[in-house]
């Protein structure tokens, strides 16, 4: 199978996952529609950061083996506590992007994708930095589960990493982080 066919199949998988997410979370239906619109636009590849109007990213809601805590990064460039994740860099499999980013940014062994179902969507503005103008991230988030070994390694992308009780995150001022924590607690 050629690369173009594989990418088209992965795009269809994402399209179906976005539809399922919109059905499961009707309050995010319009947002899921924006993600599908980006997926269907012609021109530059929306899975590459060089598409400066906006592009897909993949993130991990990285939960401890017992599900009570989540690993967060104090992001070096944004100076905020966030979930792990990053650019797709041409990879159309955003679930794998989320898993890869979680592994690279945490150094944790034995990480597992909890599900290929989309856990959360968030479209957020990234401010101008150096030669890169401000742009939109269309962040597709997946649950990633840690194994028994929770000893992380802080990567160059982070100022710090920390395991935080999910129950504490529901008090965060960041709406996106609070939404993911509330959803996680509701699912448990």
């Amino acid at each position: 199978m050629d690369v173009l066919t594989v990418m088209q199949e992965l795009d269809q998988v994402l399209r179906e996952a976005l539809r399922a997410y919109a059905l499961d979370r009707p309050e995010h239906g319009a947002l899921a529609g924006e993600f599908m619109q980006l997926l269907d636009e012609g021109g530059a590849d929306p899975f590459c950061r060089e598409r400066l109007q906006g592009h897909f990213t993949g993130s991990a809601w990285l939960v401890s083996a017992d599900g009570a805590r989540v690993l967060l990064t104090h992001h070096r460039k944004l100076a905020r506590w966030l979930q792990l994740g990053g650019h797709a860099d041409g990879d159309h499999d955003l679930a794998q992007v989320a898993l890869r980013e979680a592994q690279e940014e945490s150094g944790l062994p034995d990480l597992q994708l909890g599900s290929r179902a989309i856990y959360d969507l968030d479209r957020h503005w990234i401010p101008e930095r150096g030669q890169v103008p401000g742009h939109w991230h269309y962040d597709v988030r997946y649950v990633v589960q840690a194994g028994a070994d929770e000893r992380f390694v802080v990567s160059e992308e982070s100022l710090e990493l920390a395991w935080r009780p999910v129950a504490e995150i529901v008090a965060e001022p960041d709406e996106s982080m609070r939404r993911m924590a509330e959803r996680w607690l509701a699912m448990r």
Side-chain angles (χ1 to χ4, degrees), residues 8-39:
Q8 289 171 337
E9 287 180 2
L10 288 170
D11 291 355
Q12 185 58 33
V13 168
L14 178 57
R15 190 174 290 102
E16 290 169 11
L18 288 164
R19 283 189 192 115
Y21 179 83
L23 288 172
D24 183 49
R25 312 260 336 255
E27 71 277 14
H28 285 198
L31 181 62
E34 291 178 32
F35 279 63
M36 284 188 264
Q37 184 177 356
L38 177 63
L39 185 59

Side-chain angles (χ1 to χ4, degrees), residues 169-183:
I169 298 171
V170 297
E172 287 288 321
D174 183 292
E175 190 270 333
S176 170
M177 294 297 294
R178 190 173 60 248
R179 182 181 65 239
M180 288 189 291
E182 288 170 351
R183 182 164 193 219

Side-chain angles (χ1 to χ4, degrees), residues 99-137:
L99 181 60
R100 179 187 71 229
E101 290 291 327
Q103 291 167 330
E104 289 175 0
E105 293 181 16
S106 73
L108 287 171
D110 305 322
L111 295 181
Q112 305 258 338
L113 195 58
S115 167
R116 294 195 67 83
I118 294 171
Y119 179 65
D120 189 65
L121 294 176
D122 193 70
R123 179 178 176 261
H124 51 267
W125 182 253
I126 300 297
E128 177 181 344
R129 185 166 170 80
Q131 298 296 322
V132 179
H135 58 279
W136 291 101
H137 276 182

